[in-house]
Amino acid sequence: MNPAKPPSKRPGWLWPVPVALAGWELATRAAGDLSFPPPTTIFSRMREMWLSGPADRLWLTDAALTDIPASVGRLLAGWALAGLVGTTLGIALGRSPLLSRFLGPLVHFARAVPPPLLLPFFMALFAIGARMQINVILFGVVWPILINSAEGARHVDPLHLETAAAFGLSRGQRLLRVVLPSALPKVFAGLRLSLSLALILMVISELVGSVDGIGFQLLDAQRSYDLPGVWGTIVLLGLLGCAFNAAFLAAERRILSWHRAANQTT
Amino acid sequence: MLEISNLTHTYGSGPGSHHALGGVDLSVAEGELVCIVGPSGCGKSTLLRSVAGLLRPGGGEVLFNGAPVAGTPKDLAVVFQDYSRSLFPWMSVADNVSLPLRRKGLDRPRREEAALEALTQVGLEEAGAKYPWQLSGGMQQRVAIARALAYRPALLLMDEPFGSVDAQTREDLEDLTLRVRGHHAMTILLITHDIDESVYVGDRVVVLSGAPATVVGDLRVDLPEPREQIATREHPGFVRLRAEVGRLVRGPRPAAQHPTPETV
């Protein structure tokens, strides 16, 4: 089933990482600029910030145990809600030409508003805190999911629908067992886009209005001229982004295995 | 059990419209296997879709067990030509077969039992856990037939069911159809453009003219049972019937091989 893996999937593809790190180290040491600390300094600061706790807590510090879960929790809550709302509304729009004609322009307008601009509004509406941040993420990332779901639901194979009609599947069964699975590959494409968008909005919402979280830590480090701390937080965000993406792709591979395989054979 | 009277249908309107059915009359008795043949594009599928309630015909009437067809009748199953698009790729073979049984209100164990029984009848009892796209074309069409059988319809509609498989598989599927109809008290309406096939599997062959379609021939097939691919096809009765059906399909004039709207 899995012949020669593409080059990027072999373990050997990681070799540019140590090379880049070594180059970075040499360049920053040669420059000696305080704004650009060498990676070794950044990593030891990261260790200090998050991995210098007691052994019985797996060396995690208080900051690692409060800020990171708080941020990740808000991100996942906002993203999951957006997934629910976006898929439901998207499929409704995709299946109903009437609804699509009425709401389509509104959706395209709302999508065109840059999500960070919503921050002042939501801060006024909900005050600073998790509720505000989750709402910012929800309204910022729901659009790719909604538009992709609508696209997927609009293009269900007519013969699938005819088969469902011929065997008298009820409306609910048709939606749940025919339309939704048909649209799922598109829904997942939207979810994946939204996940990286959610990470960005999480940080931005914490930079502006928060008393904890990774974004708040970043702001705190910057205010106290802790540049290795700033860099370390940025690296942490990059690593989180990679981890989310990898976890998402693994889930997608499992759930959409029929889609990949069916498209390979036909 | 099925009464079709003066069925007409036109797709679209104005100069681009297509007059598919020009008043079709047909009645099918309980337990019959009726083959409908006609030149391609003559409206065979339109006829079938009207019977299945998938299309609202422009005029005329379809009575199924005495009641006019509105929406898809409960006792009816369809096997489409394009099996790869009619089976759901995200469901296992067994789930595909048992899905329609929800309409009958069966609980899960009984649905699974019925699916396995139907798959056994088409010789695919081992394939339940597989996905449709892991099977060959002929096997996929057998799954589609099993799905229809599990549903235990009073009327089975087959729209060019063997049109997309190779010749050998086609013969196997024809024999499979003849075999399974013996197990179930089913009436079958099979649409095909293959004259040999219509004579081989049918009790009756109904010939449609080119669009707009009307019934131009209705022949009873009185060949010895059971039918057998070699012996039946060399039977003098078979040779005579296929010639007769062939002439009817071609139409009265030799030039009418590809009828155009102007010639009719």
Side-chain angles (χ1 to χ4, degrees), chain B residues 29-88:
Chain B
E30 188 101 43
E32 262 188 320
L33 198 170
V34 177
C35 288
I36 298 185
V37 278
S40 48
C42 77
K44 299 186 292 276
S45 289
T46 308
L47 174 63
L48 178 131
R49 288 157 53 86
S50 307
V51 175
L54 296 171
L55 180 142
R56 230 187 137 81
E61 198 176 34
V62 181
L63 292 177
F64 177 52
N65 281 335
V69 169
T72 52
K74 204 168 178 176
D75 277 345
L76 179 146
V78 188
V79 174
F80 293 97
Q81 173 179 7
D82 197 343
Y83 45 80
S84 67
R85 284 169 54 223
S86 144
L87 296 174
F88 302 118

Side-chain angles (χ1 to χ4, degrees), chain B residues 244-258:
Chain B
E244 207 169 320
V245 174
R247 265 190 286 276
L248 286 166
V249 169
R250 262 168 173 258
R253 292 149 296 172
Q257 210 170 345
H258 302 288

Side-chain angles (χ1 to χ4, degrees), chain A residues 203-225:
Chain A
V203 182
I204 293 179
S205 69
E206 287 174 354
L207 281 176
V208 180
S210 181
V211 289
D212 59 354
I214 301 170
F216 174 74
Q217 215 175 12
L218 178 66
L219 198 66
D220 196 40
Q222 182 238 323
R223 282 182 180 147
S224 47
Y225 299 101

Side-chain angles (χ1 to χ4, degrees), chain A residues 1 157-169 173 177-179 181-182 257-258 261-262 265-266, chain B residues 49 54 72-73 76-78 80 82 84-91 99-100 102-103 131 133 147-148 151:
Chain A
M1 207 66 201
D157 192 317
L159 195 57
H160 282 335
L161 291 173
E162 214 155 63
T163 306
F167 283 107
L169 296 192
Q173 287 169 349
R177 300 189 184 273
V178 181
V179 175
S182 287
S257 59
W258 64 266
T265 46
T266 50
Chain B
R49 288 157 53 86
L54 296 171
T72 52
L76 179 146
V78 188
F80 293 97
D82 197 343
S84 67
R85 284 169 54 223
S86 144
L87 296 174
F88 302 118
W90 50 84
M91 285 180 199
L99 178 68
R102 288 166 182 271
R103 191 189 193 184
Y131 284 88
W133 36 266
R147 177 169 65 184
Y151 194 65

